[in-house]
mmCIF file of all heavy atoms in Angstrom:
data_model
loop_
_atom_site.group_PDB
_atom_site.id
_atom_site.type_symbol
_atom_site.label_atom_id
_atom_site.label_comp_id
_atom_site.label_asym_id
_atom_site.label_seq_id
_atom_site.Cartn_x
_atom_site.Cartn_y
_atom_site.Cartn_z
ATOM 1 N N ALA A 167 -24.347 0.966 0.090
ATOM 2 C CA ALA A 167 -25.678 1.662 -0.143
ATOM 3 C C ALA A 167 -25.614 3.030 0.623
ATOM 4 O O ALA A 167 -25.889 4.051 0.214
ATOM 5 C CB ALA A 167 -26.868 0.767 0.307
ATOM 6 N N LEU A 171 -25.373 6.888 -0.980
ATOM 7 C CA LEU A 171 -26.433 7.802 -0.762
ATOM 8 C C LEU A 171 -25.914 9.074 -0.052
ATOM 9 O O LEU A 171 -26.337 10.217 -0.355
ATOM 10 C CB LEU A 171 -27.544 7.120 0.073
ATOM 11 C CG LEU A 171 -28.404 6.110 -0.579
ATOM 12 C CD1 LEU A 171 -29.164 5.293 0.430
ATOM 13 C CD2 LEU A 171 -29.327 6.715 -1.588
ATOM 14 N N GLN A 218 -27.858 -6.867 -9.613
ATOM 15 C CA GLN A 218 -29.173 -6.603 -8.993
ATOM 16 C C GLN A 218 -29.784 -5.263 -9.498
ATOM 17 O O GLN A 218 -30.884 -4.996 -9.113
ATOM 18 C CB GLN A 218 -29.040 -6.498 -7.369
ATOM 19 C CG GLN A 218 -28.723 -7.908 -6.804
ATOM 20 C CD GLN A 218 -28.516 -7.763 -5.276
ATOM 21 O OE1 GLN A 218 -29.223 -7.092 -4.568
ATOM 22 N NE2 GLN A 218 -27.495 -8.403 -4.758
ATOM 23 N N LEU A 220 -28.984 -2.262 -8.868
ATOM 24 C CA LEU A 220 -29.128 -1.220 -7.918
ATOM 25 C C LEU A 220 -28.272 -0.035 -8.396
ATOM 26 O O LEU A 220 -28.688 1.127 -8.032
ATOM 27 C CB LEU A 220 -28.499 -1.812 -6.567
ATOM 28 C CG LEU A 220 -29.363 -2.872 -5.864
ATOM 29 C CD1 LEU A 220 -28.532 -3.388 -4.679
ATOM 30 C CD2 LEU A 220 -30.690 -2.297 -5.475
ATOM 31 N N GLN A 232 -31.780 2.467 -8.238
ATOM 32 C CA GLN A 232 -32.904 2.220 -7.368
ATOM 33 C C GLN A 232 -32.583 2.953 -6.036
ATOM 34 O O GLN A 232 -32.262 2.256 -4.994
ATOM 35 C CB GLN A 232 -33.184 0.752 -7.087
ATOM 36 C CG GLN A 232 -33.481 -0.010 -8.347
ATOM 37 C CD GLN A 232 -33.856 -1.505 -8.038
ATOM 38 O OE1 GLN A 232 -34.756 -1.673 -7.228
ATOM 39 N NE2 GLN A 232 -33.124 -2.374 -8.596
ATOM 40 N N PRO A 233 -32.562 4.292 -6.010
ATOM 41 C CA PRO A 233 -32.148 4.986 -4.682
ATOM 42 C C PRO A 233 -32.998 4.634 -3.510
ATOM 43 O O PRO A 233 -32.581 4.568 -2.336
ATOM 44 C CB PRO A 233 -32.204 6.421 -5.108
ATOM 45 C CG PRO A 233 -32.954 6.495 -6.253
ATOM 46 C CD PRO A 233 -32.824 5.251 -7.067
ATOM 47 N N ASP A 234 -34.385 4.449 -3.895
ATOM 48 C CA ASP A 234 -35.252 4.093 -2.711
ATOM 49 C C ASP A 234 -34.926 2.736 -2.089
ATOM 50 O O ASP A 234 -35.013 2.545 -0.914
ATOM 51 C CB ASP A 234 -36.680 4.212 -3.162
ATOM 52 C CG ASP A 234 -37.115 5.608 -3.585
ATOM 53 O OD1 ASP A 234 -36.555 6.490 -3.073
ATOM 54 O OD2 ASP A 234 -38.185 5.732 -4.287
ATOM 55 N N GLU A 235 -34.575 1.879 -2.863
ATOM 56 C CA GLU A 235 -34.241 0.525 -2.413
ATOM 57 C C GLU A 235 -32.908 0.542 -1.633
ATOM 58 O O GLU A 235 -32.753 -0.034 -0.582
ATOM 59 C CB GLU A 235 -34.221 -0.508 -3.599
ATOM 60 C CG GLU A 235 -33.702 -1.924 -3.225
ATOM 61 C CD GLU A 235 -34.634 -2.615 -2.149
ATOM 62 O OE1 GLU A 235 -35.719 -2.071 -2.000
ATOM 63 O OE2 GLU A 235 -34.234 -3.629 -1.611
ATOM 64 N N LEU A 236 -31.967 1.336 -2.261
ATOM 65 C CA LEU A 236 -30.718 1.511 -1.463
ATOM 66 C C LEU A 236 -30.864 2.123 -0.006
ATOM 67 O O LEU A 236 -30.334 1.773 0.910
ATOM 68 C CB LEU A 236 -29.727 2.368 -2.344
ATOM 69 C CG LEU A 236 -29.226 1.784 -3.554
ATOM 70 C CD1 LEU A 236 -28.472 2.730 -4.382
ATOM 71 C CD2 LEU A 236 -28.247 0.557 -3.331
ATOM 72 N N ALA A 237 -31.823 3.107 -0.018
ATOM 73 C CA ALA A 237 -32.062 3.739 1.291
ATOM 74 C C ALA A 237 -32.755 2.735 2.285
ATOM 75 O O ALA A 237 -32.518 2.762 3.457
ATOM 76 C CB ALA A 237 -33.079 5.000 1.035
ATOM 77 N N ARG A 238 -33.644 1.914 1.733
ATOM 78 C CA ARG A 238 -34.350 0.931 2.566
ATOM 79 C C ARG A 238 -33.152 -0.061 3.055
ATOM 80 O O ARG A 238 -33.167 -0.395 4.300
ATOM 81 C CB ARG A 238 -35.356 0.136 1.840
ATOM 82 C CG ARG A 238 -36.118 -0.833 2.593
ATOM 83 C CD ARG A 238 -36.875 -1.887 1.731
ATOM 84 N NE ARG A 238 -35.973 -2.688 1.114
ATOM 85 C CZ ARG A 238 -35.258 -3.806 1.626
ATOM 86 N NH1 ARG A 238 -35.432 -4.036 2.885
ATOM 87 N NH2 ARG A 238 -34.532 -4.533 0.881
ATOM 88 N N MET A 239 -32.317 -0.543 2.204
ATOM 89 C CA MET A 239 -31.336 -1.525 2.658
ATOM 90 C C MET A 239 -30.360 -0.887 3.664
ATOM 91 O O MET A 239 -29.944 -1.633 4.690
ATOM 92 C CB MET A 239 -30.535 -1.873 1.405
ATOM 93 C CG MET A 239 -31.135 -2.705 0.371
ATOM 94 S SD MET A 239 -30.264 -2.930 -1.182
ATOM 95 C CE MET A 239 -28.799 -3.826 -0.534
ATOM 96 N N ALA A 240 -30.041 0.323 3.534
ATOM 97 C CA ALA A 240 -29.090 0.998 4.411
ATOM 98 C C ALA A 240 -29.615 1.657 5.665
ATOM 99 O O ALA A 240 -28.996 2.107 6.509
ATOM 100 C CB ALA A 240 -28.305 2.058 3.641
#
Side-chain angles (χ1 to χ4, degrees):
L171 290 166
Q218 295 175 39
L220 294 169
Q232 299 185 57
D234 291 342
E235 177 61 13
L236 292 171
R238 185 198 65 77
M239 293 171 61

